C-alpha cells in the first residue's frame, strides 16, 4: 500500500518464523514481543529487529478482551524480558499495550500509560534508548463522545508521564477507522409471520447474509447490530417487532430478535450501519452463500 518499512510495526506478538523471515526480507524493523520464546525466536531469525515489549493492562469492560491471549505481566515479567533481550544483544526500543477492543473502561488507558512509564525507566536504566510508546487500540468505531472522553484521558496521561517530545507515541486503531465506513445492505428473500394468542405477532425475515458471513461479528466481536429499512422515505410507517435470520440451515444463524421495522416484503432491503469492523474479513461462504461484495459510494 506504499507505506515505508520504517513506519510499520509488526504487532502480532506470536509470529510464525516464516513471517519473521518475510519481515526481515522487507526490512520491517520493529516487532512486538511478550514472551521469552518470542525473544529467542527473534534472536534466531531476525536479530537486527527493534523490540517493543507488550504488557497486559486489561480494561475491566471491553467488547472483545484480548488479555487472556497477549501481553506479559508488567510487574513479574516485563523487566526480565528486557534483561533477556539485553543478554542476547537485541535492541529494545519501546513499550506497548492493548486494553481490549471496544474498551468501555476509559481509565484503563491512564493505568496502562503510567505502567508504561515505569517500564520505560527500567529500559533506560539498563541502557536502552527507549523511544516508542504504542498505546494499541480499543477506540470506539461510531461514538464520537466516547472517543473524545478517551482522547482526553490519553492526552492528560501522556502530558503527565511522557512529556518528552522525543518519545514517539503511536497507536493501532482498527475499529475506529473502519466501523462506520461500511453499511451492510441485505435483501429479504423469505418471510414468516408468527401468530400466537398470548404473544404479540412477530415478523420474521430471512436475508442473504448471516452469522457465518458478515454478521460473525455478533458471535466473535459481541456486536449489537441495528436494522433499518433501506431507503425508507416515510418514517411514519407502522413498525413491528421483527426477528431477522441469516440464510444458512442453522438456527444459530440469528441476526437480531429485537428489531422494529415496517411490514416488508421479499425483495425489500434492510440496512445495517457501522458494519465495517470485524465483519467481512472473517466471513465464510458456509452453505454456499457467498461473502458480500463491497461497493463504494461517494457522498454528495
Ligand atoms: C495487536 C492489535 N492491534 C490493534 C488491534 C485493533 O484493535 P481495535 O479494533 O480495538 O482498535 C488489534 C485487534 O485485535 C490487535 O490485535
Amino acid at each position: 500500500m506504499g507505506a515505508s518499512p520504517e513506519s510499520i510495526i509488526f504487532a502480532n506478538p506470536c509470529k510464525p518464523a516464516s513471517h519473521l523471515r518475510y519481515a526481515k526480507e522487507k526490512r520491517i524493523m520493529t516487532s512486538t514481543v511478550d514472551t521469552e520464546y518470542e525473544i529467542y525466536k527473534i534472536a534466531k531469525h531476525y536479530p537486527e529487529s527493534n523490540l517493543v515489549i507488550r504488557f497486559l493492562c486489561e480494561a475491566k469492560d471491553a467488547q472483545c478482551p484480548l488479555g487472556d491471549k497477549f501481553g506479559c505481566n508488567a510487574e513479574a515479567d516485563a523487566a526480565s524480558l528486557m534483561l533477556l533481550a539485553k543478554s542476547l544483544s537485541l535492541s529494545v526500543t519501546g513499550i506497548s499495550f492493548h486494553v481490549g477492543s471496544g474498551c468501555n473502561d476509559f481509565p484503563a488507558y491512564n493505568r496502562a500509560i503510567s505502567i508504561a512509564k515505569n517500564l520505560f525507566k527500567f529500559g533506560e536504566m539498563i541502557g536502552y534508548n527507549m523511544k516508542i510508546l504504542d498505546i494499541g487500540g480499543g477506540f470506539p468505531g461510531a461514538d464520537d463522545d466516547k472517543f473524545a472522553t478517551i482522547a482526553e484521558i490519553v492526552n492528560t496521561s501522556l502530558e503527565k508521564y511522557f512529556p518528552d517530545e522525543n518519545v514517539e507515541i503511536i497507536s493501532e486503531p482498527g475499529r475506529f477507522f473502519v466501523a462506520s465506513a461500511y453499511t451492510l445492505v441485505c435483501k429479504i428473500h423469505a418471510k414468516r409471520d408468527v401468530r400466537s394468542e398470548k404473544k404479540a405477532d412477530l415478523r420474521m425475515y430471512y436475508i442473504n447474509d448471516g452469522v457465518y458471513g458478515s454478521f460473525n461479528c455478533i458471535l466473535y466481536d459481541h456486536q449489537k447490530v441495528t436494522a433499518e429499512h433501506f431507503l425508507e422515505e416515510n418514517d411514519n410507517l407502522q413498525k413491528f417487532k421483527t426477528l431477522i435470520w441469516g440464510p444458512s440451515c442453522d438456527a444459530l444463524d440469528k441476526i437480531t430478535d429485537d428489531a422494529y421495522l415496517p411490514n416488508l416484503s421479499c425483495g425489500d432491503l434492510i440496512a445495517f450501519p457501522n458494519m465495517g469492523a470485524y465483519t467481512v474479513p472473517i466471513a465464510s461462504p458456509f452453505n454456499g452463500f457467498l461473502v458480500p461484495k463491497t461497493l463504494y459510494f461517494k457522498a454528495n
Side-chain angles (χ1 to χ4, degrees):
M1 296 182 75
S4 63
E6 313 84 67
S7 66
I8 295 175
I9 178 165
F10 192 169
N12 176 1
C14 298
K15 296 174 260 296
S18 58
H19 293 193
L20 259 183
R21 288 194 294 271
Y22 183 74
K24 180 174 181 172
E25 195 186 309
K26 297 290 173 191
R27 308 297 298 156
I28 309 292
M29 291 304 297
T30 308
S31 229
T32 307
V33 293
D34 59 5
T35 66
E36 68 269 37
Y37 302 108
E38 206 65 14
I39 291 182
Y40 284 119
K41 197 193 292 169
I42 288 189
K44 182 171 173 194
H45 296 284
Y46 192 5
E48 307 82 12
S49 294
N50 295 320
L51 304 186
V52 167
I53 308 285
R54 174 164 163 179
F55 69 92
L56 173 61
C57 183
E58 186 91 300
K60 292 184 189 115
D61 178 9
Q63 190 173 329
C64 211
L66 303 171
D68 284 349
K69 194 167 177 183
F70 298 115
C72 70
N73 184 303
E75 279 179 22
D77 300 323
S80 46
L81 289 181
M82 284 193 256
L83 288 169
L84 174 64
K86 189 94 190 155
S87 73
L88 295 170
S89 304
L90 299 174
S91 152
V92 174
T93 51
I95 299 293
S96 77
F97 60 83
H98 193 309
V99 294
S101 191
C103 171
N104 282 312
D105 166 22
F106 309 145
Y109 287 96
N110 179 49
R111 293 197 296 276
I113 291 168
S114 76
I115 295 169
K117 175 66 185 182
N118 290 334
L119 299 180
F120 251 67
K121 275 194 206 151
F122 183 81
E124 282 163 355
M125 201 178 79
I126 63 171
Y128 281 131
N129 178 14
M130 303 293 283
K131 47 188 186 202
I132 299 174
L133 172 65
D134 178 351
I135 65 168
F139 314 108
D143 188 327
D144 292 349
D145 291 341
K146 261 192 199 177
F147 183 72
T149 308
I150 293 177
E152 199 173 326
I153 290 174
V154 167
N155 287 337
T156 307
S157 304
L158 291 177
E159 275 159 30
K160 179 169 174 192
Y161 297 109
F162 287 90
D164 179 356
E165 286 182 1
N166 294 320
V167 176
E168 193 181 357
I169 315 283
I170 63 169
S171 73
E172 305 169 3
R175 189 186 305 279
F176 173 75
F177 278 132
V178 292
S180 61
Y182 282 69
T183 296
L184 181 68
V185 179
C186 300
K187 188 181 271 185
I188 300 171
H189 58 262
K191 177 175 179 180
R192 183 189 306 268
D193 289 338
V194 181
R195 298 184 184 90
S196 91
E197 283 171 21
K198 289 183 193 149
K199 279 197 243 156
D201 281 358
L202 178 68
R203 279 170 174 73
M204 291 185 180
Y205 301 122
Y206 299 71
I207 63 173
N208 58 347
D209 201 353
V211 302
Y212 293 97
S214 312
F215 290 103
N216 67 77
C217 61
I218 294 169
L219 303 182
Y220 300 128
D221 188 41
H222 316 290
Q223 279 189 40
K224 293 257 179 298
V225 300
T226 310
E228 295 168 0
H229 183 195
F230 188 55
L231 298 181
E232 177 186 353
E233 278 169 14
N234 184 354
D235 205 28
N236 299 325
L237 291 176
Q238 191 186 353
K239 300 221 166 79
F240 302 91
K241 188 169 165 65
T242 304
L243 189 159
I244 304 174
W245 296 106
S248 70
C249 60
D250 192 347
L252 178 76
D253 193 2
K254 186 200 282 181
I255 294 160
T256 174
D257 56 11
D258 66 354
Y260 281 86
L261 290 170
N263 187 19
L264 302 176
S265 308
C266 292
D268 283 346
L269 301 176
I270 301 179
F272 298 86
N274 304 320
M275 284 290 289
Y278 305 112
T279 51
V280 181
I282 321 164
S284 81
F286 174 58
N287 261 187
F289 294 100
L290 300 179
V291 299
K293 282 189 192 147
T294 302
L295 304 172
Y296 295 93
F297 288 91
K298 192 174 162 201
N300 287 324

